């Protein structure tokens, strides 16, 4: 059996090599993304695995089909860049890794929230200018005195509920799907209650037509002036222009972002800072904004799990078996 893996970072290679050796499967490792330009390299392989956020066009699935390949194992949670109808048309079964380590992403969200809550960015900016003072602008609140509002409580939102609850915060959740196992950690409420009552609002929904710009100008307007917005999910959940305006007008107190709507243009690569998009430059310049380049998932456990789960799925499907990770 031969599997080809696209979009592999050097740090991910040892986990794949380890899996290949244990499973006696030949795995070709490529750093390039799976695109129209690179897909021809699947010739001679039985299965494919990929990762990334760049849109995958129908021609990619057609080329897989032409080469006798019937599956594509995505090594991540989100699959909004995949064309599910086109994949189905070409007989390609897509699998994702729905939960490689929800704690990894949840912990990064909490890290952003605490950084902003304690005004670390503001202190850093002052100290860089030789100002070692503290005052009414930097006085902060303990997390156990905060109300946290989670929008979406599946794998990652659920893990976030548990962590914030353990820290003593009051945790509210808005999610149309009720999960009784989260009862000890959170109270389900409507979206308006989250927007109007939470000191920290953390987004954990997939990107869907119903969640695109779930945080728009109207939602930001409802939020408390001390509210912090945390987005570890997808950039398009937030109207970035409205967020910048709300931050500048002090309608909310800060934002922690691991995802941005236009991140595909520059995250994951070395960049010339002066050429970055205007919205990124404006956000980055604010001391009450923390941006990380879509790395909330990036822990040793999460990388190991995502490689192993995706490659196990590829192997099972190539062998005519099934997987509980099939995307329908
Ligand atoms: P999940 O499918 O387990 O949970 C999503 C939850 O959102 C579900 O409970 C669902 O009922 C809820 N939901 C759907 N529509 C909603 C709406 N309109 N309002 C409120 N809730 C709604 O997903 P997950 O694994 O927890 O992932 C959550 C998000 O995190 C996804 O957007 C995913 O792409 C993103 N993610 C980011 C990173 C990162 O590194 N930053 C890593 C993994 C996942």
């Amino acid at each position: 059996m031969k599997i080809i893996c696209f979009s592999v970072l050097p740090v991910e290679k040892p986990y794949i090599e380890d899996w290949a050796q244990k499973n006696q499967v030949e795995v070709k490792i490529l750093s390039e993304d799976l695109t129209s330009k690179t897909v021809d390299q699947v010739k001679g392989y039985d299965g494919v695995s990929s990762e990334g956020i760049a849109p995958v066009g129908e021609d990619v699935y057609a080329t897989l089909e032409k080469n006798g390949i019937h599956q594509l194992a995505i090594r991540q949670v989100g699959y909004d860049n995949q064309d599910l109808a086109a994949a189905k048309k070409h007989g390609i079964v897509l699998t994702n890794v729905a939960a490689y380590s929800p704690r990894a992403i949840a912990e990064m969200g909490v890290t952003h929230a605490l950084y902003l809550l304690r005004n670390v960015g503001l202190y850093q900016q002052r100290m860089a200018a030789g100002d070692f003072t503290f005052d009414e602008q930097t006085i902060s609140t303990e997390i156990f005195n905060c109300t946290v509002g989670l929008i979406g409580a599946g794998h990652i939102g659920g893990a976030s509920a548990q962590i914030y609850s353990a820290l003593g915060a009051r945790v509210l959740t808005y999610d149309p799907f009720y999960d009784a196992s989260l009862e000890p950690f959170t109270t389900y409420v409507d979206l308006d209650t989250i927007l109007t009552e939470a000191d920290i609002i953390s987004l954990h929904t997939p990107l869907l037509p119903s969640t695109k710009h779930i945080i728009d100008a109207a939602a930001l307007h409802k939020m408390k002036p001390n509210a912090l917005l945390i987005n570890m999910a997808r950039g398009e959940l937030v109207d970035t222009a409205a967020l910048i305006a709300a931050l500048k007008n002090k309608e909310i107190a800060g934002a922690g972002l691991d995802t941005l709507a236009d991140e595909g243009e520059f995250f994951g690569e070395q960049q010339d800072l002066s050429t970055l998009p205007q919205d990124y430059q404006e956000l980055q310049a604010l001391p009450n904004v923390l941006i990380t380049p879509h790395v909330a998932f990036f822990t040793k456990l999460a990388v190991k799990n995502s490689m192993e789960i995706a490659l196990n799925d590829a192997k099972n499907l190539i062998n005519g078996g099934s997987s509980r990770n099939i995307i329908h």
Side-chain angles (χ1 to χ4, degrees), residues 71-262:
Q71 60 66 234
L72 170 57
I74 303 162
R75 304 188 300 274
Q76 65 196 49
V77 181
Y79 49 84
D80 41 89
N81 61 323
Q82 300 285 336
D83 183 337
L84 300 188
K88 199 169 181 183
K89 183 174 151 195
H90 292 282
I92 307 300
V93 176
L94 294 173
T95 53
N96 71 334
V97 182
Y100 40 75
S101 178
R103 281 287 296 225
I105 298 103
E107 285 184 9
M108 185 63 128
V110 176
T111 303
H112 275 236
L114 291 175
Y115 173 98
L116 294 164
L117 194 63
R118 300 307 303 263
N119 291 314
V120 178
L122 193 50
Y123 285 120
Q124 296 284 299
Q125 192 190 52
R126 285 189 181 189
M127 289 165 72
D131 178 355
F132 291 81
T133 64
F134 50 95
D135 52 32
E136 66 283 355
Q137 226 198 325
T138 63
I139 192 164
S140 54
T141 313
E142 286 91 344
I143 187 79
F144 72 86
N145 277 326
C146 290
T147 294
V148 176
L150 302 172
I151 301 182
H155 293 102
I156 298 166
S160 305
Q162 296 191 27
I163 299 172
Y164 281 117
S165 167
L167 291 172
R170 173 181 175 236
V171 185
L172 304 177
T173 293
Y174 168 65
D175 190 320
F177 177 79
Y178 179 75
D179 180 352
S181 73
L182 294 180
E183 264 178 18
F185 315 109
T186 189
T187 305
Y188 281 82
V189 295
D190 60 21
L191 181 58
D192 253 28
T193 305
I194 299 271
L195 295 173
T196 54
E197 290 193 18
D199 305 300
I200 297 167
I201 295 183
S202 195
L203 309 180
H204 300 290
T205 73
L207 176 62
L208 303 166
S210 61
T211 58
K212 186 174 180 193
H213 288 188
I214 195 165
I215 301 298
D216 58 7
L220 288 156
H221 203 60
K222 287 181 187 168
M223 287 163 64
K224 290 157 76 170
N226 68 305
L228 302 172
L229 178 69
I230 307 297
N231 186 9
M232 298 290 118
R234 280 292 179 268
E236 293 89 338
L237 301 183
V238 179
D239 179 342
T240 307
L243 173 64
I244 293 170
L247 288 163
K248 286 187 174 167
N249 298 335
K250 303 204 183 313
E251 276 183 55
I252 68 166
L257 311 168
D258 190 52
T259 59
L260 292 171
D262 52 2

Side-chain angles (χ1 to χ4, degrees), residues 1 3 13-29 307-308 311-312 315:
M1 183 185 294
I3 296 175
K13 247 177 108 175
Y15 297 104
I16 297 181
E17 286 165 353
D18 192 40
W19 182 92
Q21 201 196 11
K22 279 188 195 138
N23 287 272
Q24 293 295 295
V25 172
E26 187 183 326
V27 183
K28 169 92 173 166
I29 296 175
M307 298 297 146
E308 288 197 4
L311 289 169
N312 283 339
K315 185 180 159 195

